[in-house]
Amino acid sequence: EKFLTTSLNKPYCLYYSVFSLDYNKKTYRPDGTEYQKGYINNQNSVFTQILIADFDNIQLDEYLKYYNQFLNMGIEPITVFTGHGYQLIILLKEKCYDQQILKYFNRALIDKGFPIDEQIIDSARIMRLPFTYNNKEFDESNSYYTNNPQKIKTHIVHFSEKRYSVKEIFSILGKSINLSNSSNVNKA
C-alpha cells in the first residue's frame, strides 16, 4: 500500500506480469551476466492464467466494435483502458505452462483480423496495471513524450469473472492448439 501510494504520486508506469515467475531461479543474459532477481524473463516465467489482446492507439468506438466481436464469439473479457488503447484479458480456468501460448493466441487473433499489438508474444510480457497512471508523456525517450505531460488514469472498462479453458478459446477462434507442455497444463 505504501509503495503504491508513493508511486502514484510520481510519473511512473506500473505493470504486472502476465506469467508468474520463479523468484528464486537464477537467470542469465546471453552475455553470461545475471538478471536482477525478481524481474521476469523467458527463463524464470512459469505459467499464466490469462490471455491478453492489446489494442493500441484506438478510440472507444473502435474498441467497442472489437469487444462486441469477442462477445459475439462467446468470449467475455475484462478490459483495461491503458491511456492509449485497450487491453482485453481472458481469464483461464487452469494454469497454462506453455511459454508460447501468447504467441499462439496473438497469431490466432491476427488471423481473425484483429489489429492487435503483435509484440505480445513472450512469457516475460508485462502489462499496464489498472487503476494506476500511464505516464509515457513524461519519458523523453518515449514517442508519447510531450513538453506538457499529463498523467492518464487507467481503469477497467468491462469486468468479467467468466473463465475458459485454453482449448475452448482456441476452438472458438477456429484454431487447434497443441500445447508444448500439455502434460503440465493443469499442474498444481
Side-chain angles (χ1 to χ4, degrees):
E1 188 176 330
K2 183 179 177 183
F3 169 77
L4 280 175
T5 302
T6 303
S7 299
L8 291 176
N9 292 325
K10 297 190 169 120
Y12 300 147
C13 289
L14 297 178
Y15 301 91
Y16 69 93
S17 173
V18 174
F19 271 69
S20 68
L21 68 106
D22 181 343
Y23 184 79
N24 293 312
K25 184 176 183 179
K26 289 187 178 195
T27 59
Y28 300 91
R29 293 179 183 88
D31 68 3
T33 59
E34 190 174 342
Y35 281 112
Q36 184 176 344
K37 186 176 182 176
Y39 285 83
I40 193 159
N41 59 62
N42 291 323
Q43 298 167 42
N44 66 2
S45 56
V46 182
F47 66 84
T48 187
Q49 285 190 278
I50 61 174
L51 297 174
I52 299 286
D54 188 19
F55 293 86
D56 287 331
N57 298 315
I58 65 172
Q59 300 301 314
L60 180 61
D61 58 337
E62 190 176 1
Y63 150 71
L64 289 172
K65 176 179 112 177
Y66 299 127
Y67 176 77
N68 285 323
Q69 285 179 305
F70 273 78
L71 292 180
N72 290 337
M73 289 188 296
I75 301 172
E76 185 181 324
I78 296 170
T79 305
V80 176
F81 170 69
T82 65
H84 298 290
Y86 297 85
Q87 294 171 352
L88 279 68
I89 303 165
I90 298 168
L91 302 176
L92 299 175
K93 291 178 182 176
E94 69 275 340
K95 295 174 183 175
C96 180
Y97 290 82
D98 190 322
Q99 290 187 329
Q100 300 295 311
I101 195 66
L102 296 177
K103 181 179 179 180
Y104 303 147
F105 181 62
N106 192 303
R107 174 57 36 211
L109 292 177
I110 290 168
D111 289 350
K112 287 285 248 190
F114 289 103
I116 58 171
D117 182 345
E118 296 183 27
Q119 302 303 310
I120 311 299
I121 59 172
D122 59 286
S123 61
R125 181 57 49 189
I126 57 173
M127 304 303 287
R128 186 161 308 282
L129 187 64
F131 304 111
T132 63
Y133 294 94
N134 183 322
N135 289 310
K136 288 181 176 179
E137 293 181 11
F138 291 85
D139 181 358
E140 292 180 16
S141 67
N142 196 288
S143 63
Y144 290 104
Y145 174 75
T146 178
N147 289 328
N148 187 23
Q150 302 292 316
K151 290 181 177 183
I152 303 172
K153 190 171 186 177
T154 66
H155 61 275
I156 292 178
V157 179
H158 289 107
F159 184 76
S160 174
E161 293 183 7
K162 185 132 169 77
R163 292 182 175 270
Y164 305 85
S165 72
V166 170
K167 290 185 185 226
E168 184 179 7
I169 291 297
F170 282 87
S171 176
I172 289 169
L173 295 174
K175 300 284 183 182
S176 62
I177 182 84
N178 203 2
L179 300 174
S180 64
N181 291 327
S182 58
S183 62
N184 295 329
V185 171
N186 293 312
K187 187 175 14 174

